């Protein structure tokens, strides 16, 4: 097949969708398919290159503003045994720039921060369409901008398949809106509905996401296919590296959270409550908890637990991809903090699982998407957040954390099979091959 992928994020970006689609596109190319990708250009990257058989066409936005956003490489954080770091003085200029951005451009752009990329990406993709008789188009979000490009291309594709791959919901993600919902709520719904009805098929990573779309837009449930997160090959190839077996009895148990926190939908308060109670237990072995990534407005929570946890609490900046993999493999227990919404599944959950390490999942709600995703994973514990930490829950967490045990290799292999690139890429390809899908309208 000849396939065109429109994805704002692609290699060398390390955003979750970029990692996913870089792997899928290269898998397709390796099996003889012809694959072109239109993505955002980063400084230092070429406007065109062929990488592992995939032709990558990169273009900056109209003013070069989003170019700077996608190109920013996360700073490397300290070593994983670093002690807690709290900024003693604010980053005056960075904070001022952020406030100006939040109160000006962020209040008026649509559909999201990448909006200035729409027209350049569309014109580039349209040129490719005129030169190549593609069999199918795939548009990828997040950001939603890529689907808007796909909608503009739809008339050029006529009746050929168009697959929308949805990383995060757009119009109904009211806890983490992509734009000023007070201005654009109605427009968001109308455009997302139009895109989903125009597309041949839609892929989501969570059943609850599809159910919500069916409820809101009156679409046929058969229009949606749930394709789970990807277990990256770089972690799968190293999941035999196990610090659990190497750690001596006198070394502290290392708990690691790696990702982005959000004050409104994913905060660490209940986890910190549990750990502060564990720190008070006289028979609890030494432990330390490391947070790598963006605090997302949760800095005050960390400060509130500084006295209770002391040097056990280590807060780091973001790290690059290679460092992140080393950190995951160097942990004893990986910690996930679930979303307060049932329709968003953190992609890092399967990255965690690919390591074979024990996973402590803090669920914010009973309909937790992570708990469902971890069903069948041989080494996990899910606890649901509450107003206080009960003694029974504390004992349960203590037992799980103080004796971390790697997952059984055979059970792990069976669990991870649906999350390998071969399985995921073939599911997308099946959607792209279906030229006569049912009408998504009921």
């Amino acid at each position: 097949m000849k396939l065109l992928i429109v994805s704002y994020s692609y290699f060398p970006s390390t955003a979750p969708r970029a990692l996913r689609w870089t792997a899928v596109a290269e898998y397709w190319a390796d099996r003889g398919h012809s694959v072109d990708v239109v993505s955002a250009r980063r400084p230092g990257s070429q406007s065109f290159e062929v990488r592992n058989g995939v032709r990558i066409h990169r273009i900056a936005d109209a003013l070069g503003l989003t170019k700077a956003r996608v190109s920013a490489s996360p700073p490397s954080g300290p070593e994983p045994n670093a002690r807690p770091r709290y900024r003693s003085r604010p980053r005056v200029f960075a904070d001022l720039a952020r406030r100006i951005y939040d109160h000006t451009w962020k209040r008026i752009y649509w559909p999201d921060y990448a909006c200035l990329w729409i027209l350049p990406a569309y014109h580039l993709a349209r040129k490719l369409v005129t030169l190549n008789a593609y069999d199918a188009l795939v548009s990828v979000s997040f950001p939603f901008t890529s689907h808007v490009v796909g909608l503009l291309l739809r008339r050029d594709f006529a009746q050929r398949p168009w697959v929308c791959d949805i990383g995060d919901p757009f119009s109904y993600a009211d806890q983490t809106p992509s734009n000023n919902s007070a201005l654009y709520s109605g427009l968001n719904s109308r455009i997302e509905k139009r895109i989903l009805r125009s597309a041949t098929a839609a892929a989501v990573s969570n059943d609850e996401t599809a159910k919500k779309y069916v409820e809101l837009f009156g679409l046929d449930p058969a229009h949606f296919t749930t394709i789970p997160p990807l277990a990256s090959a770089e972690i799968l190839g190293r999941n035999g590296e196990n610090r659990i077996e190497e750690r001596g009895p006198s070394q502290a148990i290392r708990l690691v959270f790696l990702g982005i926190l959000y004050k409104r939908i994913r905060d660490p308060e209940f986890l910190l409550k549990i750990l502060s109670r564990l720190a008070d237990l006289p028979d609890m072995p030494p432990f330390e908890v490391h947070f790598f990534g963006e605090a997302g407005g949760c800095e005050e929570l960390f400060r509130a637990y500084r006295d209770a946890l002391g040097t056990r609490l280590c807060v780091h900046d973001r790290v690059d991809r290679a460092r992140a993999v080393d950190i995951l493999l160097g942990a004893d227990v990986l910690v996930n903090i679930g979303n307060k919404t049932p329709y968003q599944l953190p992609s890092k959950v399967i990255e965690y699982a690919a390591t074979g390490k024990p996973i402590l999942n803090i669920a914010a709600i009973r309909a937790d998407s992570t708990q469902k995703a971890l069903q069948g994973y041989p080494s996990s514990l899910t606890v649901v957040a509450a107003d206080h930490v009960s003694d029974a829950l504390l004992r349960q967490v203590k037992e799980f954390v103080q004796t971390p045990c790697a997952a059984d290799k055979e059970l792990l292999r069976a669990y991870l099979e649906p999350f390998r690139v071969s399985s995921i890429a073939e599911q997308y390809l099946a959607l792209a091959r279906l030229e006569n899908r049912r009408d998504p309208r009921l």
Side-chain angles (χ1 to χ4, degrees):
M1 295 184 70
K2 297 182 74 173
L3 301 147
L4 175 62
I5 301 169
V6 176
S7 179
Y8 180 83
S9 297
Y10 193 80
F11 177 86
S13 170
T14 55
R17 239 50 194 176
L19 294 172
R20 180 184 186 87
W21 276 97
T22 300
V24 169
E26 292 178 359
Y27 177 91
W28 284 348
D30 185 57
R31 277 144 188 82
H33 301 288
S34 176
V35 185
D36 286 281
V37 175
V38 173
S39 70
R41 187 175 180 186
R42 301 163 57 104
S45 63
Q46 302 172 35
S47 59
F48 173 77
E49 72 169 308
V50 179
R51 182 178 186 272
N52 294 331
V54 178
R55 293 179 296 276
I56 309 169
H57 310 261
R58 303 186 182 94
I59 191 164
D61 64 73
L63 299 179
L65 297 178
T66 41
K67 175 182 173 182
R69 168 143 187 171
V70 297
S71 67
S73 298
S76 295
E79 293 301 309
N81 59 352
R83 290 302 155 201
R85 283 194 315 109
Y86 300 90
R87 294 186 179 94
S88 58
R89 58 182 179 180
R91 299 176 298 176
V92 177
F93 294 111
D95 291 347
L96 177 61
R98 171 55 61 182
R99 285 197 295 270
I100 293 173
Y101 173 84
D102 287 347
H103 288 85
T104 54
W105 177 235
K106 189 175 181 179
R107 291 194 173 191
I108 60 172
Y109 64 48
W110 186 91
D112 47 48
Y113 67 87
C115 61
L116 295 176
W117 185 73
I118 292 174
L119 289 180
Y122 165 65
H123 290 308
L124 173 58
R126 190 179 182 190
K127 288 181 182 177
L128 292 172
V129 170
T130 60
L131 293 172
N132 301 284
Y134 293 111
D135 297 303
L137 164 70
V138 179
S139 61
V140 180
S141 67
F142 179 82
F144 186 77
T145 279
S146 298
H147 294 320
V148 177
V149 176
L151 182 63
L152 294 175
L153 287 171
R154 186 58 175 151
R155 56 192 169 189
D156 303 307
F157 262 78
Q159 300 302 312
R160 295 191 182 278
W162 170 25
V163 179
C164 283
D165 180 53
I166 301 169
D168 285 315
F170 176 63
S171 61
Y172 65 86
D174 52 357
Q175 295 297 318
T176 54
S178 295
N179 55 46
N180 186 344
S181 54
L183 284 178
Y184 300 124
S185 178
L187 178 61
N188 291 344
S189 295
R190 288 194 301 273
I191 293 298
E192 188 166 38
K193 182 178 181 179
R194 182 179 173 186
I195 285 171
L196 288 174
R197 285 181 174 233
S198 299
T200 314
V204 295
S205 58
N206 183 355
D207 291 338
E208 295 302 318
T209 304
K211 290 178 183 178
K212 188 71 173 178
Y213 278 128
V214 170
E215 174 189 334
L216 286 177
F217 299 148
L219 301 172
D220 187 340
H223 189 57
F224 297 91
T225 299
T226 299
I227 302 179
L230 173 72
S232 64
E234 59 190 320
I235 296 179
L236 286 172
R238 295 178 58 188
N239 64 15
E241 298 177 18
N242 193 344
R243 183 177 183 267
I244 296 171
E245 296 170 355
E246 300 170 357
R247 182 175 56 84
S250 62
Q251 288 180 290
I253 301 166
R254 183 182 297 161
L255 294 88
V256 168
F257 171 90
L258 196 150
I260 302 175
L261 296 168
Y262 295 99
K263 191 175 182 179
R264 296 181 66 181
I265 67 164
R266 189 191 304 154
D267 71 70
E269 184 169 16
F270 193 66
L271 171 65
L272 295 173
K273 282 183 180 180
I274 293 173
L275 297 178
S276 62
R277 287 283 308 275
L278 286 177
D280 290 336
L281 298 178
D283 59 340
M284 180 66 195
F287 70 88
E288 54 192 31
V289 57
H290 295 262
F291 288 86
F292 290 89
E294 297 180 27
C298 298
E299 293 86 355
E300 288 300 321
L301 277 175
F302 288 127
R303 293 190 186 98
Y305 284 88
R306 184 177 184 180
D307 291 337
L309 289 169
T311 58
R312 296 182 180 90
L313 176 59
C314 305
V315 182
H316 310 268
D317 286 328
R318 291 182 298 165
V319 294
D320 60 32
R321 176 65 180 174
R323 188 80 186 92
V325 173
D326 288 339
I327 288 166
L328 292 180
L329 294 169
D332 292 311
V333 178
L334 297 171
V335 181
N336 178 69
I337 299 173
N339 294 324
K340 295 177 182 178
T341 57
Y343 47 78
Q344 289 173 294
L345 174 63
S347 58
K348 70 170 180 293
V349 170
I350 303 305
E351 296 246 296
Y352 279 10
T355 68
K357 300 295 181 81
I359 300 173
L360 174 61
N361 177 41
I362 308 298
I365 56 176
R366 294 203 173 273
D368 179 53
S369 59
T370 299
Q371 183 175 16
K372 182 178 180 181
L374 289 175
Q375 288 178 357
Y377 183 71
S379 184
S380 68
L381 172 66
T382 293
V383 298
V384 181
D387 292 333
H388 69 282
V389 180
S390 68
D391 291 341
L393 185 148
L394 190 66
R395 287 193 298 271
Q396 191 179 22
V397 174
K398 177 177 179 290
E399 181 179 351
F400 183 78
V401 167
Q402 74 179 2
T403 56
C405 179
D408 178 86
K409 292 183 178 180
E410 290 302 318
L411 293 176
L412 179 63
R413 185 178 295 109
Y415 170 82
L416 290 173
E417 197 59 38
F419 307 108
R420 296 180 185 275
V421 66
S422 55
S423 174
I424 288 172
E426 290 298 335
Q427 289 182 76
Y428 282 120
L429 200 60
L431 294 181
R433 281 180 171 140
L434 294 176
E435 298 195 22
N436 297 305
R437 299 280 295 184
R438 295 171 57 187
D439 190 325
R441 295 167 290 184
L442 291 174

